[in-house]
Amino acid sequence: MTKQNKYTDSIRKHLRCFLCAPFFMVLEASGEFILPYLNADMIDRGVAVGNTAYIVRNGLLMFVTALAMLIFGVLGAYFAVKGSSHLAAEVRAKTFRQIQKFSFANIDEFSTGSLITRITNDITQIQNFAQTLLRGCFRSPVMLVGAVCMSFLLNPRLAAVICVVIPILGLATALLIRTASPRYTQMQKKLDGLNNQINETITNERVIKSFVREENEKEKFSAVNQVLMEKSISALKMMILMQPVSTLAINVTTLAVVWIAGRQIMIGGMEIGTLTAFITYLTQILTALNFLANIFLQGTRAAASNRRISEVLETCPDLTDESAAQKDRQITGGGIEFQNVSFTYSKKKDPVLKDISLKIAPGSFVGLVGSTGSGKTSLISLIPRLYDVSAGAVLVDGTDVRELSLTKLRESVAVVLQKNTLFSGSIAENLRWGNAQADPEELRRACRIAHAEEFIRRFPEGYDTDLEQGGTNLSGGQRQRLCIARALLKHPKILILDDSTSAVDMATDAGIRRALEKELPGMTKIIIAQRIGSVIEADQIIVMNEGRIEDAGTHEELIRRCSTYQEIYYSQRDEENAAV
Ligand code: DCP
Ligand code: MG
């Protein structure tokens, strides 16, 4: 994505707004320098000589001009708001679509908080700037040039004063902008930090409460909040300086003008009306300069935000199927092969999987055991390409997963992740994530296999029971069973359960496995379990240790020869016996 077409699409689409806004603003500005002229004329030729008809005529003209200015001003502002809002909405949508394409690794790189800031606050900065720009980009220069010309027309000697003020004010603005720019970038970064903190705290509110860590979180929050505040003050104080500096400039220049003009009027070289008009033009010149400076300052801020949005848009999703050679290939068997696979979460970290080679036959039942942190979740994440291997290859049905269409691959591989999530909505809606077209009978069948049917039926509203975000109004075991049912509705060729029955009692756990075997015999099943009992009947049990496969075989084989397996098995058996 190039920098240019990030905005050009929207601008082209809403060209009417982008042209009308400055057009009407320029029309409005033209009124600004007609008015003082009419006013001066009225004072000098009407008021000074008592010509009522002249006063009425000019008064009417001034009224009509003011009315036209009002209409043009409103129209200009309307188109500016409309254009900039459309622009922001479209860039936001584009950024959102891009984030959807991101791999886990991409998201980790930016952090969730930073992505939220970029898609909200940063785009709002662009929107504000676009609006200011649309309203002022022609209006201010037109006003500036117009007012300077008019003042020269009125009195060239007085106008010379202005030529002294403009460069001084310009220099001051340039200095302000240079100081403000890096401070804005810093401020946005601190906002990322704040959003990260908010994100983590709110998502994990339950854990925080159960460990009574509220005070701790509050302190962490105050710290990031304080830093953001300091950075904001440091950046925004530049904006604040702008106003008093230009007010001072207006006042000093007015004083100089009145002082020079006063002497001219006394010797009869100038009329009072001219002075009034001149001061009005002077105010206009400084207002226009002030507005231009504001455009520049906002532009500096928007430029910092623009860079941050570009970073997102220009990041190549590191996991795509754009160059996949066999996109049309359907997965029909469900065989899996790992060929010398190594994997690391980021280049800076040590590999978590080292030289894994493994074959899983279509339709087989594979158990995966190993101590915590041994790489089980990492291993199975490579099958639906949640991450890409660092070396070697993962093959499904004999084809490298990187050559398959991502959609087709993920449709055929259902994973119930260790950290599973349900969404707000009814149970049925959640289940239909697996298959939008599933009819009630299909939902019931999947729930029967996952042993979820019985508890759903006990809810007064059954499948229409509303879930809270994350499914927090269900028990852990109920949530796990719904997640299994949701995965089954995809009719996957490969089903991966990552510790998905840890919160389910042993009898139900065994029931689910039996149902899976009986109802879906052709489906490849990979079950990661802490309890050996959950995988004891598997065709193949893989024992992982520190990122390597220590051994693989049936329960009988492993109990004979694999020490790690024996250790886990006997310790669990002793525990069970002790519990009885
Ligand atoms: N790891 C990492 N970055 C991640 C996830 C994991 O660096 N985003 C590291 C932590 C572990 C190693 O990778 O040292 C293996 O983690 P796994 O999640 O694959 O381990 P398991 O699934 O085997 O552990 P558990 O049984 O606790 O689920
Ligand atoms: Mg795990």
Short mmCIF file of all heavy atoms in Angstrom, two decimals, residues 516-565:
data_model
loop_
_atom_site.label_atom_id
_atom_site.label_comp_id
_atom_site.label_asym_id
_atom_site.label_seq_id
_atom_site.Cartn_x
_atom_site.Cartn_y
_atom_site.Cartn_z
N LEU A 516 -16.78 -38.89 19.86
CA LEU A 516 -15.98 -38.44 18.71
C LEU A 516 -15.57 -39.63 17.85
O LEU A 516 -15.68 -39.61 16.63
CB LEU A 516 -14.72 -37.70 19.19
CG LEU A 516 -14.90 -36.27 19.68
CD1 LEU A 516 -13.58 -35.74 20.24
CD2 LEU A 516 -15.37 -35.36 18.54
N GLU A 517 -15.10 -40.70 18.53
CA GLU A 517 -14.67 -41.90 17.83
C GLU A 517 -15.83 -42.51 17.05
O GLU A 517 -15.68 -42.89 15.89
CB GLU A 517 -14.17 -42.96 18.83
CG GLU A 517 -12.70 -42.89 19.18
CD GLU A 517 -11.79 -42.80 17.96
OE1 GLU A 517 -11.92 -43.62 17.04
OE2 GLU A 517 -10.93 -41.89 17.94
N LYS A 518 -16.98 -42.57 17.71
CA LYS A 518 -18.12 -43.27 17.11
C LYS A 518 -18.76 -42.46 15.98
O LYS A 518 -19.03 -42.99 14.91
CB LYS A 518 -19.16 -43.52 18.21
CG LYS A 518 -20.16 -44.58 17.84
CD LYS A 518 -21.02 -44.99 19.03
CE LYS A 518 -22.45 -45.09 18.59
NZ LYS A 518 -23.38 -44.24 19.27
N GLU A 519 -18.96 -41.17 16.23
CA GLU A 519 -19.71 -40.35 15.27
C GLU A 519 -18.83 -39.81 14.15
O GLU A 519 -19.31 -39.53 13.05
CB GLU A 519 -20.36 -39.16 15.98
CG GLU A 519 -21.26 -39.56 17.14
CD GLU A 519 -22.70 -39.69 16.72
OE1 GLU A 519 -23.05 -39.19 15.63
OE2 GLU A 519 -23.47 -40.31 17.47
N LEU A 520 -17.56 -39.58 14.43
CA LEU A 520 -16.71 -38.96 13.42
C LEU A 520 -15.44 -39.78 13.23
O LEU A 520 -14.32 -39.31 13.48
CB LEU A 520 -16.36 -37.52 13.85
CG LEU A 520 -17.56 -36.59 14.08
CD1 LEU A 520 -17.20 -35.45 14.98
CD2 LEU A 520 -18.08 -36.08 12.74
N PRO A 521 -15.59 -41.02 12.76
CA PRO A 521 -14.43 -41.91 12.70
C PRO A 521 -13.37 -41.47 11.69
O PRO A 521 -12.19 -41.73 11.89
CB PRO A 521 -15.04 -43.25 12.29
CG PRO A 521 -16.36 -42.95 11.68
CD PRO A 521 -16.83 -41.66 12.26
N GLY A 522 -13.76 -40.76 10.63
CA GLY A 522 -12.78 -40.41 9.58
C GLY A 522 -11.97 -39.17 9.90
O GLY A 522 -11.06 -38.81 9.16
N MET A 523 -12.32 -38.48 10.99
CA MET A 523 -11.68 -37.20 11.29
C MET A 523 -10.37 -37.42 12.06
O MET A 523 -10.34 -38.21 13.00
CB MET A 523 -12.65 -36.39 12.13
CG MET A 523 -12.23 -34.99 12.42
SD MET A 523 -13.55 -34.09 13.27
CE MET A 523 -13.56 -34.94 14.84
N THR A 524 -9.32 -36.73 11.63
CA THR A 524 -8.05 -36.82 12.38
C THR A 524 -8.23 -36.04 13.68
O THR A 524 -8.71 -34.91 13.66
CB THR A 524 -6.91 -36.19 11.56
OG1 THR A 524 -6.95 -36.73 10.24
CG2 THR A 524 -5.57 -36.45 12.20
N LYS A 525 -7.85 -36.67 14.79
CA LYS A 525 -8.04 -35.99 16.09
C LYS A 525 -6.71 -35.86 16.81
O LYS A 525 -6.00 -36.85 17.00
CB LYS A 525 -9.02 -36.79 16.95
CG LYS A 525 -10.43 -36.79 16.41
CD LYS A 525 -11.32 -37.82 17.06
CE LYS A 525 -11.21 -39.19 16.42
NZ LYS A 525 -11.74 -39.36 15.07
N ILE A 526 -6.38 -34.66 17.19
CA ILE A 526 -5.17 -34.46 17.99
C ILE A 526 -5.63 -33.91 19.33
O ILE A 526 -6.29 -32.86 19.39
CB ILE A 526 -4.21 -33.47 17.32
CG1 ILE A 526 -3.86 -33.96 15.92
CG2 ILE A 526 -2.96 -33.27 18.16
CD1 ILE A 526 -2.94 -33.04 15.15
N ILE A 527 -5.35 -34.63 20.38
CA ILE A 527 -5.81 -34.17 21.68
C ILE A 527 -4.61 -33.91 22.59
O ILE A 527 -3.80 -34.81 22.84
CB ILE A 527 -6.78 -35.20 22.31
CG1 ILE A 527 -8.04 -35.29 21.43
CG2 ILE A 527 -7.13 -34.82 23.75
CD1 ILE A 527 -9.12 -36.18 21.96
N ILE A 528 -4.50 -32.68 23.04
CA ILE A 528 -3.45 -32.35 24.01
C ILE A 528 -4.08 -32.50 25.38
O ILE A 528 -5.19 -32.01 25.61
CB ILE A 528 -2.97 -30.90 23.84
CG1 ILE A 528 -2.40 -30.70 22.44
CG2 ILE A 528 -1.96 -30.54 24.92
CD1 ILE A 528 -1.88 -29.31 22.17
N ALA A 529 -3.43 -33.21 26.27
CA ALA A 529 -4.06 -33.43 27.57
C ALA A 529 -3.03 -33.44 28.67
O ALA A 529 -1.87 -33.80 28.47
CB ALA A 529 -4.82 -34.73 27.55
N GLN A 530 -3.46 -32.97 29.83
CA GLN A 530 -2.61 -33.08 31.02
C GLN A 530 -2.75 -34.49 31.61
O GLN A 530 -1.82 -35.05 32.14
CB GLN A 530 -3.01 -32.05 32.08
CG GLN A 530 -2.94 -30.59 31.63
CD GLN A 530 -1.52 -30.14 31.33
OE1 GLN A 530 -0.56 -30.76 31.78
NE2 GLN A 530 -1.38 -29.09 30.52
N ARG A 531 -4.00 -35.04 31.50
CA ARG A 531 -4.26 -36.37 32.06
C ARG A 531 -3.95 -37.44 31.03
O ARG A 531 -4.48 -37.41 29.92
CB ARG A 531 -5.75 -36.48 32.42
CG ARG A 531 -6.18 -35.64 33.60
CD ARG A 531 -7.55 -36.05 34.07
NE ARG A 531 -8.61 -35.76 33.11
CZ ARG A 531 -9.55 -34.84 33.31
NH1 ARG A 531 -9.58 -34.13 34.41
NH2 ARG A 531 -10.49 -34.64 32.41
N ILE A 532 -3.09 -38.38 31.40
CA ILE A 532 -2.77 -39.47 30.48
C ILE A 532 -4.06 -40.23 30.14
O ILE A 532 -4.25 -40.67 29.00
CB ILE A 532 -1.77 -40.45 31.15
CG1 ILE A 532 -0.45 -39.72 31.40
CG2 ILE A 532 -1.57 -41.70 30.30
CD1 ILE A 532 0.50 -39.65 30.24
N GLY A 533 -4.96 -40.32 31.12
CA GLY A 533 -6.22 -41.03 30.91
C GLY A 533 -6.97 -40.53 29.66
O GLY A 533 -7.68 -41.30 29.00
N SER A 534 -6.80 -39.27 29.32
CA SER A 534 -7.53 -38.71 28.17
C SER A 534 -6.97 -39.20 26.84
O SER A 534 -7.63 -39.07 25.82
CB SER A 534 -7.44 -37.19 28.19
OG SER A 534 -7.92 -36.69 29.41
N VAL A 535 -5.75 -39.72 26.82
CA VAL A 535 -5.16 -40.10 25.53
C VAL A 535 -4.72 -41.57 25.51
O VAL A 535 -4.11 -42.02 24.55
CB VAL A 535 -3.95 -39.19 25.18
CG1 VAL A 535 -4.42 -37.77 24.94
CG2 VAL A 535 -2.90 -39.23 26.26
N ILE A 536 -5.06 -42.27 26.58
CA ILE A 536 -4.54 -43.63 26.73
C ILE A 536 -4.92 -44.56 25.57
O ILE A 536 -4.17 -45.44 25.18
CB ILE A 536 -4.99 -44.20 28.10
CG1 ILE A 536 -4.02 -45.26 28.59
CG2 ILE A 536 -6.41 -44.70 28.08
CD1 ILE A 536 -4.08 -45.50 30.09
N GLU A 537 -6.10 -44.28 24.94
CA GLU A 537 -6.53 -45.15 23.84
C GLU A 537 -6.04 -44.66 22.49
O GLU A 537 -6.39 -45.24 21.46
CB GLU A 537 -8.07 -45.21 23.79
CG GLU A 537 -8.70 -45.75 25.05
CD GLU A 537 -9.98 -45.00 25.40
OE1 GLU A 537 -10.57 -44.36 24.50
OE2 GLU A 537 -10.38 -45.04 26.56
N ALA A 538 -5.25 -43.62 22.44
CA ALA A 538 -4.84 -43.04 21.15
C ALA A 538 -4.02 -44.01 20.32
O ALA A 538 -3.33 -44.87 20.86
CB ALA A 538 -4.03 -41.78 21.40
N ASP A 539 -4.12 -43.84 18.98
CA ASP A 539 -3.32 -44.67 18.08
C ASP A 539 -1.84 -44.36 18.27
O ASP A 539 -0.98 -45.20 18.08
CB ASP A 539 -3.69 -44.37 16.61
CG ASP A 539 -5.16 -44.62 16.36
OD1 ASP A 539 -5.66 -45.64 16.82
OD2 ASP A 539 -5.81 -43.76 15.72
N GLN A 540 -1.58 -43.10 18.60
CA GLN A 540 -0.21 -42.67 18.76
C GLN A 540 -0.17 -41.58 19.83
O GLN A 540 -0.96 -40.65 19.78
CB GLN A 540 0.27 -42.10 17.41
CG GLN A 540 1.72 -41.79 17.39
CD GLN A 540 2.15 -41.14 16.07
OE1 GLN A 540 3.32 -41.13 15.77
NE2 GLN A 540 1.24 -40.59 15.29
N ILE A 541 0.71 -41.75 20.80
CA ILE A 541 0.87 -40.70 21.81
C ILE A 541 2.25 -40.08 21.61
O ILE A 541 3.25 -40.79 21.49
CB ILE A 541 0.74 -41.27 23.24
CG1 ILE A 541 -0.62 -41.94 23.42
CG2 ILE A 541 0.91 -40.15 24.27
CD1 ILE A 541 -0.74 -42.75 24.70
N ILE A 542 2.27 -38.74 21.54
CA ILE A 542 3.54 -38.06 21.33
C ILE A 542 3.95 -37.42 22.65
O ILE A 542 3.16 -36.72 23.28
CB ILE A 542 3.40 -37.00 20.23
CG1 ILE A 542 3.06 -37.69 18.91
CG2 ILE A 542 4.66 -36.16 20.09
CD1 ILE A 542 2.39 -36.81 17.92
N VAL A 543 5.16 -37.68 23.06
CA VAL A 543 5.64 -37.12 24.31
C VAL A 543 6.60 -35.99 23.99
O VAL A 543 7.62 -36.20 23.33
CB VAL A 543 6.36 -38.18 25.17
CG1 VAL A 543 6.76 -37.59 26.52
CG2 VAL A 543 5.49 -39.40 25.34
N MET A 544 6.27 -34.79 24.44
CA MET A 544 7.13 -33.64 24.14
C MET A 544 7.94 -33.25 25.36
O MET A 544 7.48 -33.33 26.49
CB MET A 544 6.29 -32.46 23.67
CG MET A 544 5.64 -32.74 22.36
SD MET A 544 5.42 -31.30 21.34
CE MET A 544 6.99 -30.54 21.31
N ASN A 545 9.14 -32.79 25.10
CA ASN A 545 9.99 -32.32 26.17
C ASN A 545 10.91 -31.23 25.64
O ASN A 545 11.65 -31.45 24.69
CB ASN A 545 10.80 -33.51 26.73
CG ASN A 545 11.48 -33.15 28.02
OD1 ASN A 545 11.20 -32.11 28.61
ND2 ASN A 545 12.38 -34.02 28.46
N GLU A 546 10.81 -30.07 26.22
CA GLU A 546 11.66 -28.92 25.85
C GLU A 546 11.75 -28.72 24.34
O GLU A 546 12.85 -28.58 23.79
CB GLU A 546 13.05 -29.08 26.46
CG GLU A 546 12.99 -28.95 27.97
CD GLU A 546 14.34 -29.10 28.63
OE1 GLU A 546 15.33 -29.29 27.91
OE2 GLU A 546 14.38 -29.04 29.86
N GLY A 547 10.61 -28.69 23.69
CA GLY A 547 10.59 -28.36 22.27
C GLY A 547 10.99 -29.48 21.34
O GLY A 547 11.12 -29.29 20.14
N ARG A 548 11.19 -30.68 21.89
CA ARG A 548 11.53 -31.82 21.04
C ARG A 548 10.55 -32.95 21.30
O ARG A 548 9.93 -33.02 22.36
CB ARG A 548 12.93 -32.34 21.35
CG ARG A 548 14.02 -31.41 20.90
CD ARG A 548 15.37 -32.01 21.21
NE ARG A 548 16.40 -30.99 21.22
CZ ARG A 548 16.98 -30.53 20.12
NH1 ARG A 548 16.67 -31.02 18.95
NH2 ARG A 548 17.89 -29.57 20.19
N ILE A 549 10.45 -33.87 20.31
CA ILE A 549 9.64 -35.06 20.53
C ILE A 549 10.54 -36.08 21.21
O ILE A 549 11.55 -36.49 20.65
CB ILE A 549 9.11 -35.61 19.21
CG1 ILE A 549 8.14 -34.59 18.60
CG2 ILE A 549 8.42 -36.95 19.42
CD1 ILE A 549 7.46 -35.05 17.36
N GLU A 550 10.16 -36.42 22.41
CA GLU A 550 11.02 -37.37 23.12
C GLU A 550 10.77 -38.79 22.65
O GLU A 550 11.69 -39.57 22.46
CB GLU A 550 10.78 -37.25 24.63
CG GLU A 550 11.69 -38.16 25.40
CD GLU A 550 11.84 -37.73 26.84
OE1 GLU A 550 11.84 -36.52 27.11
OE2 GLU A 550 11.93 -38.63 27.70
N ASP A 551 9.47 -39.08 22.44
CA ASP A 551 9.13 -40.42 21.96
C ASP A 551 7.71 -40.38 21.42
O ASP A 551 6.95 -39.45 21.71
CB ASP A 551 9.21 -41.42 23.13
CG ASP A 551 9.49 -42.83 22.62
OD1 ASP A 551 9.30 -43.08 21.41
OD2 ASP A 551 9.91 -43.67 23.43
N ALA A 552 7.37 -41.38 20.62
CA ALA A 552 6.00 -41.47 20.13
C ALA A 552 5.66 -42.95 19.99
O ALA A 552 6.50 -43.75 19.59
CB ALA A 552 5.87 -40.77 18.79
N GLY A 553 4.45 -43.30 20.34
CA GLY A 553 4.03 -44.70 20.23
C GLY A 553 2.71 -44.89 20.95
O GLY A 553 2.10 -43.91 21.40
N THR A 554 2.29 -46.15 21.08
CA THR A 554 1.05 -46.39 21.81
C THR A 554 1.36 -46.39 23.31
O THR A 554 2.52 -46.39 23.71
CB THR A 554 0.46 -47.76 21.43
OG1 THR A 554 1.43 -48.74 21.77
CG2 THR A 554 0.13 -47.85 19.95
N HIS A 555 0.29 -46.40 24.10
CA HIS A 555 0.47 -46.38 25.56
C HIS A 555 1.34 -47.55 26.01
O HIS A 555 2.27 -47.37 26.81
CB HIS A 555 -0.91 -46.43 26.23
CG HIS A 555 -0.85 -46.65 27.70
ND1 HIS A 555 -0.40 -45.66 28.56
CD2 HIS A 555 -1.17 -47.72 28.47
CE1 HIS A 555 -0.45 -46.13 29.80
NE2 HIS A 555 -0.91 -47.38 29.78
N GLU A 556 1.07 -48.73 25.44
CA GLU A 556 1.82 -49.93 25.86
C GLU A 556 3.31 -49.78 25.55
O GLU A 556 4.16 -50.10 26.38
CB GLU A 556 1.29 -51.20 25.16
CG GLU A 556 -0.03 -51.72 25.71
CD GLU A 556 -1.20 -50.81 25.34
OE1 GLU A 556 -1.12 -50.12 24.28
OE2 GLU A 556 -2.19 -50.76 26.10
N GLU A 557 3.60 -49.25 24.35
CA GLU A 557 5.00 -49.07 23.98
C GLU A 557 5.69 -48.07 24.90
O GLU A 557 6.81 -48.29 25.37
CB GLU A 557 5.10 -48.59 22.52
CG GLU A 557 4.77 -49.68 21.51
CD GLU A 557 4.47 -49.11 20.11
OE1 GLU A 557 4.49 -47.87 19.94
OE2 GLU A 557 4.24 -49.91 19.21
N LEU A 558 5.01 -46.96 25.12
CA LEU A 558 5.64 -45.88 25.88
C LEU A 558 5.86 -46.25 27.34
O LEU A 558 6.88 -45.90 27.93
CB LEU A 558 4.80 -44.60 25.78
CG LEU A 558 4.76 -43.96 24.40
CD1 LEU A 558 3.79 -42.79 24.38
CD2 LEU A 558 6.15 -43.50 23.98
N ILE A 559 4.89 -46.97 27.90
CA ILE A 559 5.01 -47.32 29.31
C ILE A 559 6.19 -48.26 29.52
O ILE A 559 6.79 -48.30 30.59
CB ILE A 559 3.67 -47.94 29.82
CG1 ILE A 559 3.55 -47.78 31.34
CG2 ILE A 559 3.52 -49.40 29.45
CD1 ILE A 559 3.16 -46.39 31.72
N ARG A 560 6.55 -48.97 28.42
CA ARG A 560 7.70 -49.87 28.51
C ARG A 560 9.02 -49.12 28.40
O ARG A 560 9.96 -49.37 29.12
CB ARG A 560 7.61 -50.91 27.39
CG ARG A 560 7.29 -52.33 27.94
CD ARG A 560 7.34 -53.38 26.85
NE ARG A 560 6.16 -53.31 25.98
CZ ARG A 560 6.21 -53.16 24.66
NH1 ARG A 560 7.36 -53.08 24.04
NH2 ARG A 560 5.10 -53.13 23.96
N ARG A 561 9.07 -48.12 27.47
CA ARG A 561 10.40 -47.61 27.15
C ARG A 561 10.63 -46.11 27.44
O ARG A 561 11.78 -45.67 27.49
CB ARG A 561 10.70 -47.87 25.68
CG ARG A 561 9.75 -47.16 24.74
CD ARG A 561 10.19 -47.26 23.30
NE ARG A 561 9.41 -46.32 22.51
CZ ARG A 561 8.73 -46.66 21.42
NH1 ARG A 561 8.75 -47.90 20.98
NH2 ARG A 561 8.05 -45.76 20.76
N CYS A 562 9.57 -45.31 27.63
CA CYS A 562 9.81 -43.85 27.74
C CYS A 562 9.74 -43.41 29.21
O CYS A 562 8.70 -43.45 29.84
CB CYS A 562 8.77 -43.10 26.90
SG CYS A 562 8.93 -41.33 27.05
N SER A 563 10.87 -42.94 29.70
CA SER A 563 10.94 -42.62 31.14
C SER A 563 10.05 -41.42 31.49
O SER A 563 9.37 -41.42 32.52
CB SER A 563 12.38 -42.36 31.55
OG SER A 563 12.89 -41.31 30.77
N THR A 564 10.05 -40.39 30.63
CA THR A 564 9.21 -39.21 30.91
C THR A 564 7.75 -39.62 31.00
O THR A 564 7.01 -39.20 31.90
CB THR A 564 9.37 -38.16 29.79
OG1 THR A 564 10.75 -37.97 29.54
CG2 THR A 564 8.71 -36.85 30.16
N TYR A 565 7.35 -40.49 30.06
CA TYR A 565 5.96 -40.95 30.03
C TYR A 565 5.63 -41.73 31.29
O TYR A 565 4.59 -41.49 31.92
CB TYR A 565 5.73 -41.80 28.78
CG TYR A 565 4.28 -42.15 28.55
CD1 TYR A 565 3.41 -41.23 28.00
CD2 TYR A 565 3.79 -43.42 28.89
CE1 TYR A 565 2.08 -41.54 27.79
CE2 TYR A 565 2.47 -43.74 28.68
CZ TYR A 565 1.61 -42.80 28.13
OH TYR A 565 0.29 -43.11 27.93
#
